[in-house]
Amino acid sequence: MERGRSNIPPTNYSSIDDTISILVVDDDITCLAIVAAILKKLKYEVVTVKHPNDALCTLRINGGAFDLVISDVHMPDMNGFELQRAITQEFNLPVVLMSADDKEEVALKGLESGAAFFIMKPITPDDLKDLWQFAAMKRKEKANAFEERQKYIDSDESVNEDDDGKRKSPKKERCEDKNGGNSQSYSQKRPKIVWTNSLHNRFLEAIRSIGLERAVPKKILEVMNVPGLTRENVASHLQVLVFLSSDNHI
DNA sequence: ATTTGAATAT
DNA sequence: GATATTCAAA
């Protein structure tokens, strides 16, 4: 058969500062249209599909030559998590999940399972305008939330750009991989712990599995099982968490 | 003696 | 402002 694909230009959907291409997946055509419209207005190249299988097919056609995939969580046949797993397995692409479910657990599950980001509906342009970041960081996408904790302990200046002082948006953290010539990584003096999102998620998950009332630093530390993390680290973080919880801080 | 939570320091 | 450290109490 000839390659009868009609409207999929052979242009490489690369992340050259020209155009970032995004594949949007949502069975709700209304939401699909809204997201697509917003993205297009933000100068992203947008391809929309309304079925998870279509998403996989589209990706396979061009070898995953997208910069990012945005998918709804609730879909027939395959939910967002499953799709995210499939895409992660087959391609090296950041997957952003979106859902109307504002339960924190859903968001946590998404991030823990490897999603790059989680957006809650209704989607606003503000939620989408910074998506290029994920496309940019995909270049060296490889980090289990488990291993990276052992490695982020390495910058002496503690100027980790996990959230680079941004707002409330959850983000996936990155850590410098191989030594790029800056091999000052022999840190005997431990830098400050950076409570990245996945680390925090792990922290929360540990508390939840223990039970809020019985969660004490030592127990939390055990459940978290993070090398290098101390009981004091957990205690300090717990103190903040309790403080924020007791007060009216969203 | 160990661990905790709060206060205080960096 | 976030994380570490100190410290008295359990």
Side-chain angles (χ1 to χ4, degrees):
Chain A
M1 293 16 163
E2 296 299 331
R3 294 151 171 208
R5 37 176 211 243
S6 45
N7 48 3
I8 297 183
T11 76
N12 47 349
Y13 293 88
S14 55
S15 60
I16 309 174
D17 57 356
D18 207 7
T19 300
I20 291 179
S21 59
I22 299 180
L23 179 63
V24 187
V25 191
D26 197 331
D27 59 305
D28 180 356
I29 58 173
T30 301
C31 184
L32 192 63
I34 293 177
V35 172
I38 294 176
L39 289 175
K40 285 174 182 172
K41 186 155 297 184
L42 292 171
K43 298 300 183 183
Y44 290 109
E45 173 79 26
V46 183
V47 175
T48 62
V49 294
K50 63 180 188 302
H51 197 285
N53 286 332
D54 294 338
L56 289 174
C57 289
T58 302
L59 287 172
R60 282 166 185 149
I61 285 178
N62 59 14
F66 280 86
D67 294 302
L68 181 76
V69 179
I70 302 180
S71 174
D72 186 27
V73 172
H74 303 290
M75 291 182 296
D77 296 339
M78 185 187 302
N79 66 36
F81 298 118
E82 295 170 324
L83 178 61
Q84 178 268 314
R85 283 196 177 280
I87 292 177
T88 300
Q89 264 188 345
E90 197 165 345
F91 309 97
N92 181 28
L93 287 179
V95 178
V96 173
L97 295 176
M98 52 185 177
S99 169
D101 198 345
D102 61 343
K103 287 199 290 283
E104 192 175 85
E105 296 157 16
V106 175
L108 294 186
K109 179 181 177 183
L111 292 178
E112 281 295 330
S113 73
F117 198 52
F118 194 94
I119 299 175
M120 289 193 283
K121 295 180 179 180
I123 309 293
T124 70
D126 193 66
D127 295 326
L128 266 29
K129 70 171 193 287
D130 288 330
L131 286 178
W132 60 269
Q133 298 180 46
F134 301 105
M137 63 173 58
K138 103 180 172 184
R139 76 179 288 194
K140 207 57 178 195
E141 189 76 1
K142 162 205 183 280
N144 266 341
F146 301 75
E147 287 191 357
E148 55 189 3
R149 282 189 204 68
Q150 315 181 35
K151 301 185 179 180
Y152 72 74
I153 306 178
D154 140 82
S155 49
D156 191 35
E157 297 297 323
S158 71
V159 280
N160 289 16
E161 35 90 279
D162 175 348
D163 262 349
D164 46 58
K166 270 310 193 253
R167 310 297 181 252
K168 49 190 177 176
S169 294
K171 267 198 320 192
K172 179 178 192 178
E173 79 275 7
R174 280 279 66 85
C175 76
E176 289 300 359
D177 214 21
K178 305 312 177 186
N179 43 17
N182 190 1
S183 301
Q184 193 188 359
S185 45
Y186 286 74
S187 57
Q188 198 165 16
K189 139 190 174 325
R190 284 197 191 171
K192 297 218 280 189
I193 283 288
V194 178
W195 286 93
T196 59
N197 280 300
S198 61
L199 187 57
H200 180 68
N201 291 342
R202 203 175 171 88
F203 171 81
L204 291 179
E205 191 50 47
I207 291 181
R208 222 176 69 73
S209 74
I210 295 172
L212 186 54
E213 304 306 328
R214 323 193 169 186
V216 292
K218 188 178 181 182
K219 191 69 180 179
I220 297 173
L221 180 63
E222 289 173 1
V223 175
M224 287 180 73
N225 191 28
V226 176
L229 196 67
T230 70
R231 191 172 53 81
E232 283 77 12
N233 292 139
V234 175
S236 179
H237 193 60
L238 183 63
Q239 183 176 4
V240 177
L241 196 273
V242 170
F243 170 72
L244 292 178
S245 295
S246 63
D247 200 89
N248 273 5
H249 259 252
I250 286 191

